[in-house]
Amino acid sequence: MPEGDSVWRAAARLHAALAGRELTVWDMRVPRLATTDLTGRTTLEVVPRGKHLLARFEGGLTLHTHLRMDGAWHVFAAGRPWRGGPLYEVRAVLGTADRTAVGYRLPVVELLRTADEDRAVGHLGPDLLGPDWDAERAAANLLATPKRPLGEALLDQRNLAGIGNVYKCELCFMAGATPWTPVGALPDAPRTAVRLAAAAQRLLAANIGPGEGRNTTGSRRPGRALFVYGRPGLPCFRCGAPVRKADQDDRPTYWCPRCQTGPHPD
């Protein structure tokens, strides 16, 4: 599933292509929106909210989409061939005189009144890349269920919005705790939770610009961009112990058995 930084970049691309321009194409290929028509309206902005995308149009309407595991938005010059999958996977098309945005495999496509956006995103915690970011509030959300495993709590978008499985694993490594460690069992849990929330925001913010993939270590050496994610059996960069892998809530999860303390499936 795309994480908050990827969704932020997608919103930026859509905003650059559509904002301030009149829609010449509105093609919703989902049954409940098939008869809607917003052509002639101007796109006001496209903004991310956690892992959600909100395209706002004049007249007080918002197109809400979510990428989940396989969805993607691609932007093409008007008249150019589309590349992103077969046509039967297209769920939404937004076009202007010079750009066409095509949404592939979108599992969530709904048209809302802008005033009712909270129906779609009001449950989310502070957005790591949004104007409402608040590390103290995010930490309080994490600590509200002290017996919950840290990895699960970090992925819960109601606590803080934008973290996915990659950042979950990397943040647990940086905190020196396994993803199965109860939040309340973290050393000096209140301060640690605030530091962890702040670190999450810094990591995502550092990865929203153009670059060659996600980086959490700060290293530019090939193969050293991530501490533990996707590195099972390889030596930990800090201690040399083999990185371990196990599932947590059906997601592949990685940790260093020497650098990270706490419970684990083995």
Side-chain angles (χ1 to χ4, degrees):
M1 180 182 292
E3 310 203 16
D5 52 356
S6 299
V7 175
W8 192 95
R9 287 193 295 272
R13 289 193 299 271
L14 290 170
H15 182 84
L18 302 173
R21 297 174 174 85
E22 181 180 296
L23 288 174
T24 58
V25 177
W26 170 273
D27 183 2
M28 297 293 110
R29 302 183 184 183
V30 294
R32 62 180 173 174
L33 297 184
T35 61
T36 61
D37 185 5
L38 267 61
T39 56
R41 302 198 189 204
T42 297
T43 304
L44 302 179
E45 61 182 345
V46 183
V47 299
R49 181 73 174 87
K51 299 181 184 181
H52 300 251
L53 286 162
L54 302 169
R56 296 170 179 151
F57 307 99
E58 66 176 349
L61 292 174
T62 295
L63 182 68
H64 166 231
T65 60
H66 196 295
L67 307 180
R68 290 192 182 163
M69 291 297 294
D70 300 314
W73 278 98
H74 296 283
V75 176
F76 307 95
R80 300 294 294 176
W82 301 349
R83 294 184 181 131
L87 285 178
Y88 68 80
E89 293 184 344
V90 174
R91 297 291 177 266
V93 185
L94 304 174
T96 69
D98 58 356
R99 292 287 186 272
T100 303
V102 184
Y104 289 86
R105 301 172 298 278
L106 301 174
V108 176
V109 183
E110 61 176 342
L111 189 62
L112 308 167
R113 291 198 314 156
T114 301
D116 294 336
E117 285 179 0
D118 272 359
R119 287 204 296 111
V121 297
H123 65 288
L124 298 175
D127 186 341
L128 286 150
L129 296 174
D132 69 321
W133 172 245
D134 184 334
E136 297 277 351
R137 183 175 148 220
N141 291 344
L142 291 171
L143 292 165
T145 51
K147 294 183 179 180
R148 193 174 192 187
L150 176 60
E152 292 182 14
L154 287 170
L155 283 180
D156 190 335
Q157 302 300 295
R158 295 169 298 181
N159 291 333
L160 61 174
I163 290 179
N165 203 39
V166 176
Y167 285 116
K168 175 198 85 171
C169 295
E170 296 294 285
L171 286 163
C172 288
F173 176 83
M174 295 169 71
T178 70
W180 294 270
T181 302
V183 175
L186 294 170
D188 194 2
R191 290 188 180 183
T192 298
V194 173
R195 289 197 296 266
L196 195 57
Q201 195 277 334
R202 287 195 301 271
L203 284 182
L204 266 72
N207 281 281
I208 60 175
E212 300 180 358
R214 189 169 285 130
N215 188 304
T216 60
T217 65
S219 174
R220 299 301 171 188
R221 293 171 57 186
R224 298 183 71 91
L226 300 174
F227 286 111
V228 291
Y229 187 85
R231 304 188 63 248
L234 297 177
C236 171
F237 296 140
R238 287 183 179 170
C239 73
V243 171
R244 306 288 286 274
K245 175 186 176 184
D247 281 350
Q248 182 180 39
D249 196 23
D250 296 325
R251 291 179 174 87
T253 298
Y254 305 85
W255 79 101
C256 173
R258 190 175 296 165
C259 292
Q260 294 171 253
T261 61
H264 52 80
D266 301 333

